[in-house]
Amino acid sequence: MMPAPDEVRGAEAAVDRTVVGVNLSLPLFRTLSGVLAGHPYLKVVVDRTEDTWHLLDTRVHPFHVDYIATRVLGMTPRQLDAELDAFNASVYMAPDRRFLLGILSLHSDEDADGAERPFLVLETTEADTMHGALLQEFYDYVRHRVDGRLPLLLKPANHGQEHELALAGDARILSQELFGSRTRTCLNPGVAEGRLRYFRTPQEYRAGAADLGWADIVAMAGLPDDVPRVAGFINTRPTTPLSHTNVLASGWGIPNAIVRDLDALVERHGLDGAWVRYRVREDAVSLEPLSCAPALERPVWDTQRIHIDAPLIEDAPIMELHRLRLTDRDSYGTKAAHLGELHHVLDSRTADLTAFYARPRPPRPDLLAHLGTRLGEPEAPLERLRFTAAERVARTVRAPRGVALPFHLHHLHLTSSPALQQGIGKLKMALELDALDMIDPLSLDLQHLMRSTPMPEEVARAITGAVPRLVADDRRLVVRSSSNAEDLPGFSAAGIYDSVTTVRGTDQLLDAVIHVWASLLSPRSVRMRHQVGIPLDDTYMGVIVQEYTPADLGGVLVTCNPTRREDFRNVYLNCTAGSPERVVDGTVLPHQYLYNTVEGGGRTVAVGSSGTDLPGDTRATLAELALAGRLLQSHFSTDDPDDALDIEWLMTGEGAFQLVQVRPYAR
C-alpha cells in the first residue's frame, strides 16, 4: 500500500499540523491523515539519534525524504535533488540508518458481536530493506506511543521483510490478508459518464448484449471476452488487471474496477439503467448518480483508426521461428515475427537492452546506476551494462521452437473456393454499407464455410512436409494465431483469435490450422477491426505450430503497474499452475505480484484461488523474470522505451522460463 519514494513535489499548505514527540490518539490521527487506497493514513518518521518521532501532516508533507532533508537536516531542495539516490539509500537501505520511515493506516473489522473494531497497520515503503531487528524496533517504538486501545499490526512491505518477519506471530499481517477482500479495487483508472447496465447472470447478459452501445457501462460478475466496446466495465467479483477484458479496457482507455458491493449501491440509489458518473482511481472507486442524461461526445476509441501495412501474400516458405525477424510480420503475422525477434535477441546478444534505464527520470539523469546494482555490477560503464543485460536475459528466458505458416497459405485456401470468395464479397459489402445487422450472420456463415472447405492439396502437403519432427511419436502440438491485425500498438486484439492446444497427428493439425484461419472471420473480430478501420482485404492469418511444453507455472507479466500509470519502477506479474491461458481467461484467480525493477524487491498483491503464497525461492525466480521483461522492453518498444510489454510465459520443471508471446501492452 505504501508508495515508493518519488520525486514529484507539490506546494505546501498554509497550515502545517505536523507534531513531534507526542503520543498518538485516534482524534490526532484523523487530524493529520490523508486517504490512500480508501483508508486514512499518516506518515511517520522515527529519529533514532534524537529518540523522538515525527507525525507528518500528509497534506503538507507528501514525501518522507523531503521532510527529513529540509525540515530535520536543513538541506535545500536543490541539494536533495542532486543527492537523491544517495539520500534514499541512506534512509531506506543503510543497516545503521538514523531514520525509520513508514506509514500508519486505519482499518476496521467486526468483532464477534458485529461491532466495528478499528485497528492500525504499520508498514514501510516497498524499497525498504529493514532487517528483522530494525523492523521490531520500529514496531515497538510506535506501539509504545499509540493509544493502547488500538491494535497495531506490522505489515511486511516486500518479500524480504516478509521473510524477516516469518516468526512475528499475531503482530504481523500480510498484504493479501489485509486487502484480499477489498470491496472496491481499481483495475484500469479512468472516468466515464454513461448508462449503467447491470447483468446479474450470463443469461441476462446474452439477452441484452445486442442492445449495448458506446455510452453504456457494463456491470456483471465476470465480463465475457466478447464484450463490445462500451464506456466502462464493472466486475462484481475478483479478477486480475491482466485478464483479457482488462487488457481491452486499457487499450480502449475506459475505466474498469471490481465493485463487490454493487448490489447494495444499485438498490440504495436505483442505479440499474440510470445515468452515472463512474470514477476509477488507484485509491478510490465511485459511482455517482446523474440527474439526467449528460451531453456525451463519442469516445476517442469510436473514432480511432489503426493502420496496418499491406500484407505480403505472394509465395513464401514455411519458416522456423528462429529465422524470423520483426520485418517478417507482413508475411507471417506479428506474433510469429515477435517470437522470431526474441530468438535473435537471445541468440545474438547484441541488442541494447538498457534504453529504459538510460532515459532521464528527473531529478535523476537516468537509472543506469540502479540497473548496475540489479545486474551485480554497480560501477560498470554503459557498454559493460549492455553486455551484462543481454547475458542476463539470455540466461533467464528462452524462446519457443516451432514453425510459422505464411499468409500465402491462408490466401491459397481462400482463393481455392468460389463460394468463399462470394461470401467474402458479401461481407465486404455489408461492412462498406455499415449494415451492422448483416455482419454477424455473414461472418458466421463464412466461418462455417471456411471449416467445411477442404484444404487444397498443395497447402496440406506444404504443412505436413514442414513439420515431420513435430508430428512424430504422437506428440502434442499447439497451433496459435499470428495475424497482421493483432499485437499492435493501440490494437492488441487480446482473446479474439483462436488457438488450439490439444493437437496430435497430421489430421488434427490440418483441422486446427483451418480453425485458426476461420477465427479471423468471427463476428467479434470482424466488428472490432471494422470499428478501428482495418479493411477486411488487408487482414490475413499466419499460424504458429509448436510442440506442447508442460509447465509447472504459467502466467502473464506486463512491464508496468496497470493501476498506477506514473509508476516507472514496478512490473505486474500474474501466474497459476499450468497454462497462462488460465490467467487471462478468468478460469482461476492467479497469484499476483509487483516487482520493483529499480531499487529491487517484490511484494505479493493477491494469492488467488490457491489461498497460499508461492514458496520464497519461486518468488525470487519470478523476480528474475520480471527484470528480464523490463530489459526486453528496451528492445521491443521501438517508439518509446516507456511503452510497456505484455508477455505470456511458462516455467518448466527445469526452472527455466519460456516466453510464448511478446506484444505491446496498451496503456
Side-chain angles (χ1 to χ4, degrees):
M1 176 175 148
M2 182 167 175
D6 214 328
E7 294 75 50
V8 181
R9 301 182 176 89
E12 294 193 353
V15 178
D16 184 355
R17 297 179 176 86
T18 294
V19 296
V20 180
V22 302
N23 289 347
L24 180 64
S25 63
L26 192 53
L28 178 58
F29 179 96
R30 295 190 186 281
T31 298
L32 299 174
S33 64
V35 177
L36 181 64
H39 297 278
Y41 82 105
L42 62 80
K43 287 178 161 50
V44 174
V45 174
V46 171
D47 187 337
R48 301 170 74 203
T49 299
E50 299 294 332
D51 189 24
T52 191
W53 71 333
H54 303 245
L55 304 176
L56 309 190
D57 185 341
T58 57
R59 287 154 292 195
V60 179
H61 304 293
F63 305 109
H64 290 88
V65 292
D66 283 10
Y67 177 82
I68 295 169
T70 61
R71 296 301 181 88
V72 179
L73 301 180
M75 297 172 64
T76 66
R78 180 173 295 182
Q79 286 175 315
L80 176 59
D81 284 351
E83 304 172 21
L84 185 62
D85 284 333
F87 192 84
N88 278 339
S90 72
V91 295
Y92 291 114
M93 300 171 189
D96 58 348
R97 66 190 74 175
R98 171 179 171 179
F99 301 102
L100 306 179
L101 316 184
I103 67 169
L104 278 168
S105 54
L106 182 63
H107 304 260
S108 65
D109 57 15
E110 293 184 355
D111 61 21
D113 298 325
E116 186 178 34
R117 185 181 71 98
F119 64 95
L120 292 172
V121 173
L122 176 67
E123 63 179 305
T124 70
T125 182
E126 64 185 26
D128 201 301
T129 60
M130 275 193 205
H131 53 71
L134 270 183
L135 287 165
Q136 189 66 52
E137 178 186 336
F138 191 26
Y139 174 83
D140 291 342
Y141 195 99
V142 174
R143 172 69 280 175
H144 293 148
R145 289 159 180 80
V146 170
D147 188 334
R149 294 170 294 181
L150 285 173
L152 176 66
L153 301 178
L154 180 60
K155 183 171 81 68
N158 51 53
H159 291 149
Q161 290 187 6
E162 187 176 320
H163 175 73
E164 291 284 333
L165 292 173
L167 302 177
D170 294 339
R172 186 187 75 162
I173 188 169
L174 299 178
S175 178
Q176 58 267 28
E177 296 169 337
L178 188 61
F179 301 117
S181 59
R182 183 183 293 172
T183 302
R184 302 181 193 178
T185 304
C186 169
L187 295 173
N188 194 62
V191 180
E193 292 182 344
R195 183 179 54 162
L196 182 65
R197 302 289 302 278
Y198 184 18
F199 301 104
R200 292 165 178 80
T201 66
Q203 293 77 14
E204 283 187 15
Y205 172 79
R206 286 194 293 271
D211 297 328
L212 291 174
W214 61 265
D216 289 326
I217 296 169
V218 179
M220 60 188 300
L223 289 151
D225 282 354
D226 63 354
V227 64
R229 289 191 173 206
V230 290
F233 293 158
I234 299 175
N235 300 267
T236 59
R237 71 181 183 200
T239 185
T240 166
L242 302 190
S243 66
H244 274 153
T245 51
N246 198 56
V247 171
L248 293 174
S250 180
W252 297 338
I254 63 174
N256 187 17
I258 301 167
V259 183
R260 299 173 73 171
D261 61 341
L262 187 64
D263 272 330
L265 291 175
V266 166
E267 183 175 349
R268 186 181 311 134
H269 301 291
L271 296 182
D272 195 5
W275 291 95
V276 299
R277 181 176 295 110
Y278 176 38
R279 297 180 184 273
V280 177
R281 302 193 305 269
E282 183 194 16
D283 60 351
V285 177
S286 64
L287 281 165
E288 175 190 347
L290 300 176
S291 58
C292 60
L296 298 177
E297 296 182 2
R298 296 187 76 86
V300 173
W301 59 254
D302 195 52
T303 57
Q304 179 187 32
R305 291 297 176 262
I306 301 297
H307 171 76
I308 61 174
D309 294 331
L312 302 179
I313 56 175
E314 63 267 15
D315 192 8
I318 296 174
M319 295 277 280
E320 293 192 21
L321 284 175
H322 71 87
R323 297 179 60 191
L324 298 181
R325 297 293 302 273
L326 280 177
T327 51
D328 292 308
R329 59 181 174 269
D330 297 334
S331 295
Y332 298 87
T334 48
K335 190 178 298 180
H338 285 168
L339 291 178
E341 188 71 16
L342 177 63
H343 272 284
H344 169 73
V345 169
L346 301 181
D347 293 342
S348 71
R349 306 188 188 186
T350 58
D352 179 8
L353 305 183
T354 66
F356 175 86
Y357 291 89
R359 189 170 190 145
R361 308 284 174 179
R364 303 180 181 94
D366 54 58
L367 299 174
L368 291 171
H370 289 281
L371 175 59
T373 300
R374 301 279 70 76
L375 296 175
E377 298 194 23
E379 303 297 330
L382 180 57
E383 285 304 314
R384 177 63 186 177
L385 285 181
R386 288 173 175 168
F387 171 81
T388 306
E391 289 288 319
R392 176 69 69 89
V393 170
R395 289 201 311 267
T396 305
V397 303
R398 300 173 183 172
R401 296 286 176 179
V403 299
L405 312 186
F407 297 158
H408 175 64
L409 298 183
H410 182 206
H411 176 69
L412 289 178
H413 184 71
L414 292 176
T415 55
S416 70
S417 165
L420 273 174
Q421 290 295 294
Q422 185 180 30
I424 290 171
K426 291 179 179 179
L427 180 57
K428 284 171 55 180
M429 181 64 70
L431 292 169
E432 289 172 5
L433 297 175
D434 230 14
L436 301 182
D437 58 331
M438 296 297 296
I439 291 174
D440 283 12
L442 287 173
S443 297
L444 288 170
D445 287 346
L446 263 175
Q447 278 195 294
H448 175 73
L449 186 57
M450 172 77 82
R451 291 170 182 148
S452 59
T453 298
M455 184 181 288
E457 187 174 337
E458 63 177 306
V459 175
R461 280 200 310 270
I463 295 172
T464 57
V467 294
R469 178 186 62 81
L470 292 177
V471 296
D473 306 322
D474 199 35
R475 296 176 184 176
R476 180 176 169 181
L477 305 179
V478 176
V479 179
R480 301 183 185 276
S481 67
S482 181
S483 169
N484 62 334
E486 63 180 319
D487 298 354
L488 305 173
F491 190 74
S492 73
I496 72 168
Y497 303 126
D498 290 344
S499 295
V500 186
T501 62
T502 56
V503 176
R504 295 183 188 275
T506 55
D507 290 342
Q508 289 188 16
L509 171 61
L510 298 179
D511 287 344
V513 170
I514 292 178
H515 182 88
V516 172
W517 283 341
S519 68
L520 195 71
L521 295 169
S522 71
R524 182 180 180 229
S525 69
V526 170
R527 279 188 275 107
M528 287 184 67
R529 293 193 304 269
H530 179 60
Q531 287 170 341
V532 298
I534 298 177
L536 185 63
D537 276 344
D538 286 347
T539 311
Y540 276 85
M541 180 67 77
V543 177
I544 299 169
V545 182
Q546 303 166 241
E547 186 174 350
Y548 171 77
T549 302
D552 293 340
L553 282 178
V556 181
L557 73 85
V558 293
T559 58
C560 66
N561 182 346
T563 64
R564 189 166 176 249
R565 303 302 175 85
E566 69 275 15
D567 178 5
F568 60 81
R569 292 174 164 82
N570 287 290
V571 305
Y572 203 84
L573 187 150
N574 285 191
C575 61
T576 190
S579 166
E581 280 82 6
R582 301 177 72 209
V583 170
V584 295
D585 66 11
T587 305
V588 298
L589 285 175
H591 290 86
Q592 301 179 44
Y593 301 100
L594 277 168
Y595 285 100
N596 185 326
T597 58
V598 177
E599 289 91 2
R603 55 192 170 102
T604 302
V605 177
V607 295
S609 302
S610 71
T612 58
D613 208 347
L614 294 172
D617 57 348
T618 302
R619 297 194 311 244
T621 304
L622 293 175
E624 289 295 311
L625 173 63
L627 179 60
R630 175 69 85 200
L631 293 169
L632 287 170
Q633 177 181 339
S634 292
H635 180 75
F636 282 91
S637 300
T638 52
D639 293 334
D640 184 341
D642 276 357
D643 289 343
L645 296 183
D646 175 345
I647 298 173
E648 290 188 17
W649 54 271
L650 305 170
M651 188 173 80
T652 67
E654 304 170 356
F657 293 105
Q658 184 178 105
L659 307 190
V660 296
Q661 183 165 292
V662 179
R663 63 184 176 190
Y665 178 71
R667 298 183 65 184

